[in-house]
Amino acid sequence: MPKINGNEIRPGNVLEHNGGLWAAVKVDHVKPGKGGAFAQVELKNLRNGSKLNERFRSADKVERVRLEQKDMQFLYEDDGQLIFMDTETYEQVQLPADLLGDRRPFLQDGMTIVVEFHDAEALNATVPQKVVCKIVETEPVVKGQTAANSFKPAVLDNGVRITVPPFVGQDEDIVVNTETMEYSERA
């Protein structure tokens, strides 16, 4: 595994630190007036979800871990566990449902997502950046309401509330950006 300097840590990097696997969630580079510069890194444990704030100086060396990424199909949720299947080998893996956080409602049956592995152990899953959803509830279009930045509230078929432009109506399919939880375009 390659070693990197403490100032080369970026958000999303997976590090081996204190005997565990940690994902860098947030990285702030600090240059104090006195003393050397350092990176203040918020780390999240990939196995148990605990968080840790750590300082790394540029002279510190950390192990960067490369995770193997595999496209897998979402099958179902059972007792707080998400079940995924490898479409080539039909092998199934399970991950905790709270791993996806507020993006969990965007996971649809049969959807292909990326699951990350470290030594055959499934650690993380990411939903696609853009997902098609149907609007089940929104206000009707008001004629003459053409202000550039006027958005109206809408409820999607998965229960998530977002804001949409005034020209989008009920029962329309739209594309939602799962990273920002915002309307992207009509489907």
Side-chain angles (χ1 to χ4, degrees):
M1 282 182 261
K3 284 191 178 271
I4 60 171
N5 292 334
N7 62 350
E8 295 174 350
I9 299 171
R10 301 285 175 260
N13 285 4
V14 177
L15 310 172
E16 192 171 301
H17 180 67
N18 289 351
L21 287 176
W22 301 81
V25 179
K26 204 161 112 185
V27 179
D28 289 323
H29 293 280
V30 182
K31 297 180 181 100
K34 209 174 191 183
F38 60 88
Q40 183 72 36
V41 183
E42 183 180 317
L43 299 167
K44 182 179 178 197
N45 191 309
L46 290 175
R47 291 195 173 104
N48 62 23
S50 64
K51 290 200 171 181
L52 173 73
N53 274 316
E54 199 74 62
R55 281 184 179 184
F56 294 101
R57 295 188 322 266
S58 60
D60 294 340
K61 298 276 189 198
V62 287
E63 292 273 342
R64 182 166 174 209
V65 178
R66 296 236 186 256
L67 296 179
E68 180 190 342
Q69 296 185 331
K70 242 187 219 178
D71 286 342
M72 299 189 93
Q73 185 178 18
F74 173 63
L75 297 178
Y76 59 93
E77 182 174 355
D78 181 41
D79 199 24
Q81 295 287 318
L82 302 175
I83 312 299
F84 301 99
M85 179 184 70
D86 188 332
T87 53
E88 294 168 8
T89 64
Y90 302 108
E91 186 180 317
Q92 293 183 5
V93 297
Q94 59 183 24
L95 287 166
D98 59 356
L99 184 76
L100 294 176
D102 54 357
R103 286 160 188 71
R104 167 63 188 101
F106 291 105
L107 194 59
Q108 299 162 353
D109 289 343
M111 179 182 272
T112 301
I113 68 160
V114 176
V115 178
E116 295 179 321
F117 290 87
H118 178 259
D119 293 339
E121 176 189 7
L123 293 174
N124 198 9
T126 50
V127 292
Q129 185 180 359
K130 295 193 174 185
V131 175
V132 176
C133 296
K134 185 188 264 327
I135 295 177
V136 292
E137 184 184 318
T138 189
E139 299 165 6
V141 177
V142 178
K143 223 171 177 55
Q145 186 181 18
T146 57
N149 286 340
S150 66
F151 280 77
K152 61 184 182 179
V155 179
L156 302 175
D157 54 1
N158 56 15
V160 175
R161 294 180 180 276
I162 65 166
T163 56
V164 295
F167 58 81
V168 177
Q170 194 163 323
D171 296 325
E172 277 192 57
D173 288 338
I174 62 166
V175 177
V176 178
N177 184 331
T178 58
E179 289 177 5
T180 61
M181 307 287 268
E182 294 174 346
Y183 167 86
S184 182
E185 61 193 3
R186 278 182 165 158

